[in-house]
Amino acid sequence: MDTLTGLLEGPKARGAYLQKSVFNPPWSLRIEDRAPLSVMTPVRGTAWLVPDAGEPVLIGPGDVAVVRGPVPYTVADAPGTPVQVTVGADQRCSTGDGEDVTDTMALGVRTWGARAVDAGSVVLLSGTYQAPGEIGRRLLGALPTVLVRPAGTADATLITLLAAEVSRDEPGQAIVLDRLLDLLLIGVLRAWLAAPGSGAPAWYRAQADPVVGVALRLLHENPAHGWTVEELAHKAGVSRASMARRFTQLVGEPPVAHLTGWRIALAADLLREPEATIATVARRVGYGTPFALSAAFKRVRGVSPQEYRAGAAPSPAGVGVGRTVVLP
C-alpha cells in the first residue's frame, strides 16, 4: 500500500464513544478520560478548546477539532471559566464536589448536558476512540496536541449526517457511527498532510523527493521484500552512499530502520485481527519465522506480539508534538 493509505488505514473505531452535548454558559468540561484521540465539532455556538500542552483555540459550527490524548484538556465557553464537570475513566462525569452526574444529566440516546436550551446554548458533537490500537502508534506519534480544520473545508454533509445519526438507536447503529467518525477524522488528516508548513511528519513530506520518494514507495508497497540500501539506490538511480545520506537527512532515520518501523506498525495492525497467527503475520511483513518477528517486535514496542495482542501495549503518552495547529 502507498504511504498515505498506510497511515489513514489506521483509524478504525470499534464501539467509539459518541455523544451530543448541550451546554449553557458559563460552562467548562475537564476531559481526563485518557482516550488516545477525540474528535469534536460544534453544530451550534462556539467552544474554547484548552489543551494542557498547546495554545487554546476557538472552534465554531463546522470546525472539526482532533485532540490527541491521553493528556487531559478542557472544553469551555471561555478559557478562564472554572471547571464544572470532569469526565473521567469510562466516561463517568462528576462535579467538583464528587457528585456523579453521568446519569442525572443524560438527555436521551447519546445526548447529555443542560435540559434548558436557549439562544446562548452550545451543541457539541464528540467522538472518542477508546484504545490506541484503533488509531495506530505511527499516526499518534505524528499528530500535534490539537489539530483544527476550519469550517468551509470540512465535509459539511458528513457533519450533518453524524448529527442526525448520533441520537438514533437502531440495529447496527454503532458501526454506522464508527465509520462516520473514521471518515470525519480522515478528512482532517488528509487536509493536515497536504497543507504546507502544517508540521506533517518528515517521512510523509519526503515522498515528494525524486530519490527518497521512490525508496519510500518501494518500502511501503512491498514491506515483505528483503530490501537493502543497494537495491533501493539502484531502483532510484543513485549510489548507495547517496541514498543512505539523503534518506536519513529527509526522513530522520536510515532506510532499513524505517523499514523495520513500518513492518512492526503493519504487524501491530494485523495482530488485531482475531484469526491472524504470529506465523502468518510474520510472513506478511517480511520476517521468516515467528521468532524473528517476536524479537523485532519486542525490541521496537517493548512487548511481545502475544502481550500486545493481550492488551499489554505501552501507552502512547508522551508521543506527538505538544502544539496546536489550525489549518488554513
Side-chain angles (χ1 to χ4, degrees):
M1 67 182 73
D2 64 81
T3 307
L4 182 58
T5 299
L7 181 68
L8 298 183
E9 190 182 41
K12 292 178 181 176
R14 293 171 175 81
Y17 186 84
L18 285 108
Q19 183 171 269
K20 178 171 68 177
S21 300
V22 182
F23 303 108
N24 290 326
W27 60 274
S28 181
L29 195 68
R30 175 74 170 169
I31 312 297
E32 297 182 353
D33 59 2
R34 297 192 61 80
L37 200 71
S38 297
V39 181
M40 63 185 66
T41 177
V43 294
R44 177 178 176 178
T46 61
W48 279 93
L49 208 165
V50 187
D52 283 10
E55 295 298 319
V57 60
L58 182 66
I59 55 175
D63 296 341
V64 182
V66 174
V67 187
R68 174 178 53 79
V71 178
Y73 61 96
T74 302
V75 186
D77 67 320
T81 301
V83 173
Q84 298 166 349
V85 175
T86 297
V87 180
D90 300 322
Q91 301 298 322
R92 303 302 298 180
C93 303
S94 59
T95 62
D97 58 9
E99 178 187 0
D100 190 324
V101 293
T102 308
D103 298 326
T104 57
M105 293 185 68
L107 302 177
V109 178
R110 302 184 192 87
T111 306
W112 185 91
R115 296 185 180 277
V117 179
D118 55 35
S121 297
V122 173
V123 179
L124 186 69
L125 299 179
S126 58
T128 300
Y129 287 82
Q130 302 292 307
E134 297 175 10
I135 310 296
R137 285 179 65 90
R138 194 172 189 84
L139 176 55
L140 284 175
L143 283 172
T145 303
V146 176
L147 177 61
V148 177
R149 186 184 188 188
T153 57
D155 190 337
T157 301
L158 187 58
I159 295 173
T160 301
L161 182 57
L162 181 61
E165 292 286 344
V166 71
S167 299
R168 292 181 180 174
D169 189 16
E170 300 179 4
Q173 194 67 15
I175 192 66
V176 171
L177 293 173
D178 282 350
R179 297 293 78 81
L180 287 175
L181 179 62
D182 289 342
L183 288 172
L184 194 60
L185 172 60
I186 288 171
V188 177
L189 297 178
R190 289 176 66 183
W192 170 58
L193 291 168
S198 65
W203 52 264
Y204 181 82
R205 299 194 305 269
Q207 291 182 106
D209 184 82
V211 172
V212 178
V214 172
L216 282 169
R217 284 189 289 275
L218 292 170
L219 294 176
H220 285 225
E221 291 174 5
N222 189 8
H225 182 73
W227 295 106
T228 64
V229 179
E230 290 86 351
E231 187 174 7
L232 292 172
H234 176 73
K235 295 284 188 181
V238 297
S239 69
R240 180 191 183 283
S242 178
M243 171 60 73
R245 180 176 60 255
R246 194 160 175 170
F247 193 103
T248 303
Q249 180 182 17
L250 294 182
V251 179
E253 60 184 350
V256 175
H258 183 79
L259 175 60
T260 298
W262 180 243
R263 284 173 168 174
I264 297 304
L266 293 176
D269 287 340
L270 292 171
L271 286 167
R272 298 202 305 266
E273 298 178 3
E275 298 182 358
T277 66
I278 305 298
T280 58
V281 172
R283 287 194 297 271
R284 289 180 64 178
V285 300
Y287 289 94
T289 66
F291 177 80
L293 172 61
S294 296
F297 198 97
K298 188 162 188 177
R299 184 174 66 253
V300 173
R301 292 294 179 96
V303 295
S304 69
Q306 292 88 343
E307 291 170 329
Y308 177 85
R309 175 174 270 170
S315 167
V319 301
V321 182
R323 62 192 181 93
T324 299
V325 173
V326 179
L327 298 174

